Amino acid sequence: MKPAGVRKAPPPGPAIAISRRTGSGAHEIAEQTARLLQEAEPKRSIPWTVFDRQLVEKVLEEHHLPQALARFMPEDRRSFIQDVMEELVGLRPPSWVMVPRIAKTVLHLATMGRVILVGRGANFITARMPNVFHVRLIASVPTRIERLQKQNGLTPEESASFVRNEDRAAGRYLKSHFRVSIEDDTHYHLVINTDRIPCADAAALIAEGARRSFQGVFGGSK
């Protein structure tokens, strides 16, 4: 028998985790998906929120870490030697300290629900959570280079170098911390190639796929 006054924890709410290739349009698609989902919600309901760049700030806030650490938290995942050296000189906590904290924050947000989590291994952190709809966004290297060039005012060479470095970093991060390959698309409910599907259509596909998935989990529209 439960003690009087002890409330049962509410069940997890619906959530989406988006894995993406750099330059595949993830931020724009996530924002559009949140708007589409919110439009179908009753008035005054808890809003759908995207955690992309904001996820770093949320991790720092939840674990009472200084905001200055944000610049030491790119999604990579530096080498073991870099981790040790930076820890020794007091620049930042090493990745084996930070990744569990990131995972804890991601799990907290995914349990609260009505969130779209972009990157940071969120798909693998939430892999066993039936309330989470898992998405992968891909695009060809030329398309991604062109997108980043336009968005960030880079030269073609700078954009190409950025894409290569980010792809390698993301691959190392997933392999090192989650023991998975970035090339394995079987982890996701939905994989979208933004070479062929415009961002607005990709958002519509994700929103509809998520609604259908949530109906199966929650027994109704969420």
Side-chain angles (χ1 to χ4, degrees):
M1 219 176 144
K2 291 184 180 179
V6 175
R7 294 183 179 180
K8 184 179 179 181
I16 297 172
I18 297 179
S19 170
R20 79 279 189 257
R21 283 290 197 182
T22 297
S24 58
H27 183 74
E28 179 182 351
I29 291 169
E31 292 286 354
Q32 290 187 32
T33 301
R35 285 196 293 271
L36 289 172
L37 291 169
Q38 193 62 42
E39 287 171 2
E41 296 280 359
K43 289 184 178 180
R44 299 183 182 176
S45 63
I46 298 172
W48 278 86
T49 305
V50 175
F51 286 90
D52 183 352
R53 305 177 185 101
Q54 303 92 335
L55 185 53
V56 170
E57 283 73 21
K58 188 66 176 176
V59 172
L60 298 178
E61 175 192 330
E62 283 207 343
H63 298 281
H64 309 291
L65 299 168
Q67 290 294 319
L69 281 178
R71 67 191 182 95
F72 294 110
M73 290 176 65
E75 203 175 23
D76 182 16
R77 353 354 108 168
R78 304 185 178 185
S79 71
F80 174 78
I81 293 174
Q82 286 173 310
D83 259 343
V84 171
M85 292 304 296
E86 290 189 351
E87 183 187 19
L88 287 174
V89 298
L91 285 179
R92 68 180 181 115
S95 63
W96 61 83
V97 172
M98 289 307 305
V99 171
R101 292 178 179 180
I102 292 169
K104 185 175 180 180
T105 298
V106 165
L107 289 170
H108 177 208
L109 292 170
T111 300
M112 288 175 58
R114 285 179 169 76
V115 295
I116 299 178
L117 305 165
V118 181
R120 304 277 162 185
N123 266 288
F124 303 100
I125 295 168
T126 63
R128 296 185 181 181
M129 298 180 71
N131 64 304
V132 182
F133 186 69
H134 299 94
V135 179
R136 173 76 167 158
L137 298 176
I138 61 173
S140 67
V141 171
T143 295
R144 296 189 287 132
I145 289 173
E146 184 178 355
R147 276 196 185 125
L148 289 174
Q149 186 182 342
K150 291 178 178 177
Q151 289 172 1
N152 302 323
L154 303 174
T155 66
E157 294 76 18
E158 290 170 337
S159 185
S161 176
F162 186 80
V163 166
R164 283 195 302 270
N165 291 337
E166 286 293 297
D167 283 354
R168 290 171 186 156
R172 288 194 301 266
Y173 182 64
L174 294 179
K175 186 173 182 181
S176 173
H177 297 295
F178 303 104
R179 303 293 188 266
V180 295
S181 169
I182 198 169
E183 303 298 337
D184 187 354
D185 292 333
T186 62
H187 300 286
Y188 312 98
H189 292 91
L190 180 65
V191 178
I192 298 177
N193 178 1
T194 61
D195 269 7
R196 296 180 176 272
I197 299 178
C199 289
D201 293 342
L205 285 171
I206 294 169
E208 179 60 23
R211 288 191 193 104
R212 290 174 179 267
S213 177
F214 299 151
Q215 285 174 0
V217 173
F218 299 103
S221 179
K222 278 280 179 176

